[in-house]
């Protein structure tokens, strides 16, 4: 999916968080958003997902203004580990089947297998490790056959083996031409598959650079 | 012996049959709605709406004595007030940015005050009537009430069946629900209206003071056992129905109000499950 952000500006009451942000991605591009807490990473994601109302600037997905999109059919979202109701008594199978409008079919099974969820399929989400939870959320996002996948700090609270496994999953998804936007504290994470970096600082400034050092901020 | 005489009475008297059918329906609906209420952390809304619904019932009693119009039927007025209460809470929330929960004690206070006022304005209201409002009197369920209960139950069950996946998604992960195209505000409003409808049905059965308990205590027990959403629902319905049936039999023989007995049985079940859970945890630790 092509992504175009034009002069996006966003402020919470008095605090300017995103200041005239512009960048473009082609289908299959991998963008890593980096910056300290409170610099606008999650705000940008929330603008993308229409969880915040964009009044200054525009976001286009495949040349369509997101304000004209009523329902995201090709956007997958993987939330931060603590962004869901983790006391909710729910199993992996229930989470996935609720995210899938049809009955379990070959595609559903393929996603479950590709995320290696068979052994934990009937487990309660509360009994899973951070890495397993992330795999469940990626599977849930993939069930919508996304062309754009947005991941918000997916490695927080995840052990090193699962962080590496997640890297391999993202690499495969990139090979399928899925555009990926990854928010990460760790700038080195996925550096081998990252095409662009979007770096925010505390002053509300940003740098959009292509891997290789070229600054393409516009 | 108790059981046999209860069933003999059940076969003999219509009013016991109506009461039992109403009880079984409410016993099924209460924990299902209650599960959503608990998980969405709306327990206090349930209490607020029950008190506001009481105001509708009392105004209905007052007006139906004054003007004999069907529209002022107390049960119907209770439903109207209960639903109106949800909108009132939403409107009041808009007035406070940081103290949104203030809307609920305001609506609850208004409900209690209106109830007290219209009970005192209504002539010939005896203490038995006010007691039945507070603690319920399921044996007073009429055929008309029963038809209303069946219709509302059918509407609620149809809605929940059709929206099951969306409701579970909303309860589990509100952000994802919004991203996946669910109209979160509309669904939340629909859930609150359904809650209001169900609450107004419960007034006759367990009374205003015990409505929230009937919805929440079976769920509190089920959450300790359920390892999935489905299991939690099934356990909650099972506990609710068992407590209702036992409550009927015990209150029939002891000649006491049914509502409090049902709630006390639910609390007994909860305590037993808490002890069972503690023992199981200790055994696991020892292993």
């Amino acid at each position: 999916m092509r992504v175009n952000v034009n002069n996006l500006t966003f402020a919470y009451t008095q605090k300017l968080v995103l200041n005239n942000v512009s960048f473009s991605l082609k289908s299959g591009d991998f963008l890593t958003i980096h910056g300290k807490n409170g610099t606008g990473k999650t705000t940008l994601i929330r603008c993308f997902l229409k969880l915040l109302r964009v009044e200054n600037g525009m976001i286009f997905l495949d040349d369509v203004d997101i304000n004209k999109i009523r329902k995201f059919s090709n956007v997958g979202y993987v939330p931060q580990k603590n962004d869901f109701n983790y006391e909710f008594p729910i199993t992996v199978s229930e989470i996935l089947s609720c995210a899938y409008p049809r009955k379990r079919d070959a595609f559903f099974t393929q996603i479950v297998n590709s995320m290696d969820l068979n052994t934990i399929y009937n487990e309660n989400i509360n009994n899973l490790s951070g890495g397993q939870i992330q795999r469940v959320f990626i599977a849930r996002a993939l069930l919508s056959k996304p062309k754009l996948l947005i991941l918000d700090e997916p490695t927080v609270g995840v052990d090193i083996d699962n962080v590496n496994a997640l890297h391999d999953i993202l690499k495969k998804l990139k090979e399928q031409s899925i555009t990926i936007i990854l928010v990460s504290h760790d700038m080195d994470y996925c550096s081998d598959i990252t095409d662009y970096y979007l770096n925010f600082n505390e002053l509300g400034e940003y740098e959009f650079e292509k891997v290789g050092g070229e600054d393409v901020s516009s | 012996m108790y059981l046999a005489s209860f069933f003999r009475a059940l076969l003999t008297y219509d009013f016991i049959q109506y009461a039992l059918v109403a009880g079984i329906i409410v016993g099924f609906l209460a924990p299902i709605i209650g599960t959503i209420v608990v998980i969405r952390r709306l327990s206090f809304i349930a209490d607020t709406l029950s008190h506001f619904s009481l105001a509708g019932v009392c105004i209905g009693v007052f007006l139906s004595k004054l003007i004999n119009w069907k529209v002022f039927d107390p049960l119907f007025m209770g439903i109207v007030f209960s639903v109106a209460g949800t909108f009132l809470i939403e409107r009041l929330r808009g007035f406070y940015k940081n103290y949104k929960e203030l809307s609920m004690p305001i609506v609850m206070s208004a409900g209690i005050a209106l109830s007290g006022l219209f009970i005192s304005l209504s002539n010939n209201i005896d203490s038995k009537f006010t007691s039945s409002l507070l603690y319920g009197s399921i044996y007073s369920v009429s055929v008309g009430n029963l038809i209303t209960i069946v219709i509302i139950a059918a509407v609620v069950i149809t809605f929940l069946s059709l929206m099951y996946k969306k409701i579970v998604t909303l309860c589990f992960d509100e952000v994802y629900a919004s991203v996946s195209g669910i109209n979160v505000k509309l669904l939340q409003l629909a859930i609150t209206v359904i809650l209001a409808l169900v609450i107004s049905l419960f007034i006759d059965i367990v009374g205003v003071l015990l409505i929230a308990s009937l919805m929440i205590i079976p769920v509190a027990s089920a959450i300790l056992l359920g390892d999935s959403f489905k299991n939690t629902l099934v356990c909650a319905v099972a506990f609710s129905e068992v407590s209702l049936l036992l409550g009927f039999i015990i209150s029939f023989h002891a000649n006491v109000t049914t509502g409090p007995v049902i709630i006390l049985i639910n609390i007994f079940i909860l305590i037993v499950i808490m002890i069972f859970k503690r023992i199981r945890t200790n055994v696991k630790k020892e292993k």
Side-chain angles (χ1 to χ4, degrees):
Chain A
M1 179 176 275
R2 294 185 304 284
V3 175
N4 288 295
V5 177
N6 293 342
N7 304 316
L8 180 64
T9 299
F10 190 89
Y12 291 106
T13 343
Q14 296 296 316
K15 193 186 176 218
L16 185 67
V17 183
L18 301 174
N19 187 9
N20 236 10
V21 176
S22 296
F23 65 87
S24 298
L25 300 173
K26 303 185 301 295
S27 290
D29 277 348
F30 193 115
L31 169 71
T32 298
I33 303 177
H34 183 255
K36 290 185 177 169
N37 283 338
T39 52
K41 305 186 301 287
T42 299
T43 301
L44 179 64
I45 296 300
R46 293 178 79 84
C47 288
F48 261 99
L49 299 172
K50 288 176 69 177
L51 298 169
L52 292 172
R53 192 176 166 78
V54 175
E55 285 174 355
N56 293 304
M58 297 184 98
I59 299 173
F60 295 92
L61 301 180
D62 272 346
D63 303 323
V64 179
D65 180 354
I66 60 160
N67 290 322
K68 291 182 181 156
I69 300 174
R70 283 185 66 193
K71 182 184 173 184
F72 291 119
S73 50
N74 297 114
V75 178
Y77 172 60
V78 179
Q80 285 194 25
K81 194 185 149 208
N82 295 328
D83 271 3
F84 64 95
N85 181 358
Y86 48 83
E87 288 175 18
F88 191 99
I90 192 167
T91 60
V92 173
S93 78
E94 286 175 322
I95 292 170
L96 297 181
S97 56
C98 282
Y100 198 59
R102 292 176 291 282
K103 286 189 176 172
R104 190 178 164 147
D105 56 13
F107 174 71
F108 186 97
T109 310
Q110 182 201 327
I111 297 292
V112 170
N113 292 340
S114 68
M115 290 297 121
D116 195 17
L117 299 177
N118 283 308
T119 52
I120 55 167
Y121 190 66
N122 291 312
E123 281 287 329
N124 187 310
I125 191 86
N126 300 312
N127 298 335
L128 303 184
S129 69
Q132 288 171 323
I133 290 173
Q134 288 303 350
R135 290 211 312 270
V136 173
F137 286 158
I138 293 173
R140 182 178 67 170
L142 293 180
L143 284 172
S144 65
K145 299 183 180 174
K147 290 182 182 172
L148 170 65
L149 182 64
I150 300 173
L151 303 100
D152 194 359
E153 303 276 12
T155 56
V156 172
V158 177
D159 63 81
I160 188 69
D161 287 343
N162 276 300
V163 166
N164 293 334
L166 178 64
H167 165 272
D168 295 342
I169 291 168
L170 294 178
K171 193 173 179 180
K172 277 184 194 161
L173 294 175
K174 179 177 160 57
E175 284 163 8
Q176 293 166 27
S177 290
I178 295 176
T179 307
I180 297 173
I181 297 180
L182 169 75
V183 175
S184 176
H185 267 90
D186 180 1
M187 209 162 170
D188 293 331
Y189 187 59
C190 289
S191 56
D192 59 326
I193 49 174
T194 295
D195 298 303
Y196 295 95
Y197 283 103
L198 186 62
N199 301 312
F200 287 101
N201 67 22
E202 294 92 332
L203 303 171
E205 296 164 342
Y206 77 99
E207 265 181 4
F208 180 65
E209 59 178 328
K210 193 171 172 34
V211 168
E214 181 192 348
D215 186 348
V216 286
S217 302
S218 48
Chain B
M1 194 181 76
Y2 280 168
L3 212 57
S5 64
F6 176 76
F7 280 109
R8 260 199 306 277
L10 179 66
L11 293 173
T12 313
Y13 301 108
D14 287 352
F15 74 93
I16 299 181
Q17 292 166 10
Y18 301 152
L20 191 64
V21 174
I24 288 170
I25 293 172
V26 168
F28 182 77
L29 277 186
I32 291 179
I33 297 289
T35 305
I36 300 168
V37 165
V38 169
I39 288 167
R40 297 287 299 156
R41 294 182 168 83
L42 296 171
S43 307
F44 196 49
I45 286 191
D47 235 1
T48 304
L49 291 179
S50 66
H51 285 81
F52 202 65
S53 178
L54 176 66
V57 172
C58 294
I59 292 172
V61 169
F62 172 76
L63 290 176
S64 55
K65 279 179 181 292
L66 213 64
I67 317 160
N68 193 17
W69 287 357
K70 280 241 185 255
V71 74
F72 297 134
D73 173 70
L75 179 64
F76 179 71
M77 289 293 281
I79 293 172
V80 170
F81 266 66
S82 196
V83 175
T86 63
F87 291 100
L88 197 55
I89 290 169
E90 267 317 300
R91 295 291 292 178
L92 285 173
R93 281 168 69 89
F95 282 92
Y96 300 97
K97 195 179 171 193
N98 295 317
Y99 302 99
K100 289 187 186 293
E101 74 281 2
L102 267 181
S103 60
M104 285 187 269
I106 292 170
V107 173
M108 186 191 265
S109 306
I112 295 169
L114 285 170
S115 310
L117 181 67
F118 280 92
I119 282 179
S120 68
L121 285 174
S122 303
N123 296 323
N124 304 323
I125 293 274
D126 59 11
S127 60
K128 208 173 170 187
F129 175 76
T130 46
S131 160
S132 78
L133 282 179
L134 297 178
Y135 300 107
S137 69
I138 193 163
Y139 290 111
S140 66
V141 170
S142 65
V143 183
N145 293 156
L146 192 57
I147 291 169
T148 312
I149 289 171
V150 169
I151 291 170
I152 292 185
V155 170
V156 171
I157 290 168
T158 307
F159 172 80
L160 294 178
S161 310
L162 292 175
M163 306 302 279
Y164 177 80
K165 285 186 174 185
K166 289 183 177 178
I167 292 172
V168 175
T169 303
L170 175 69
C171 290
F172 175 61
D173 186 346
E174 196 171 318
V175 171
Y176 179 80
S178 182
V179 172
S180 63
I182 295 171
N183 189 334
V184 169
K185 275 192 175 172
L186 191 63
L187 187 57
Q188 267 172 340
L189 183 66
I191 290 171
T192 322
V193 170
I194 293 278
L195 173 65
L197 286 174
V198 174
I199 282 172
S200 52
L201 287 188
F202 291 179
I203 286 188
D204 268 345
I205 300 184
V206 282
V208 171
L209 297 181
L210 302 174
I211 284 171
S213 324
L214 190 63
M215 282 197 279
I216 286 153
I217 299 171
V219 180
S221 305
I223 276 183
L224 293 175
L225 294 180
D227 52 2
S228 69
F229 188 67
K230 212 174 192 175
N231 282 354
T232 306
L233 276 180
V234 170
C235 289
V237 170
F239 295 146
S240 172
E241 293 292 9
V242 166
S243 66
L244 261 150
L245 290 173
L246 284 177
F248 262 101
I249 295 166
I250 292 170
S251 65
F252 179 79
H253 283 284
N255 197 22
V256 289
T257 316
T258 317
V261 177
I262 293 169
I263 302 301
L264 286 173
I265 293 169
N266 265 311
I267 289 176
F268 176 75
I269 293 172
L270 176 64
I271 292 169
V272 169
I273 288 170
M274 282 173 163
I275 294 169
F276 168 75
K277 175 113 182 171
R278 179 57 59 87
I279 292 170
R280 200 170 69 170
T281 311
N282 288 343
V283 168
K284 270 186 186 170
K285 273 183 192 166
E286 280 170 18
K287 277 182 183 173

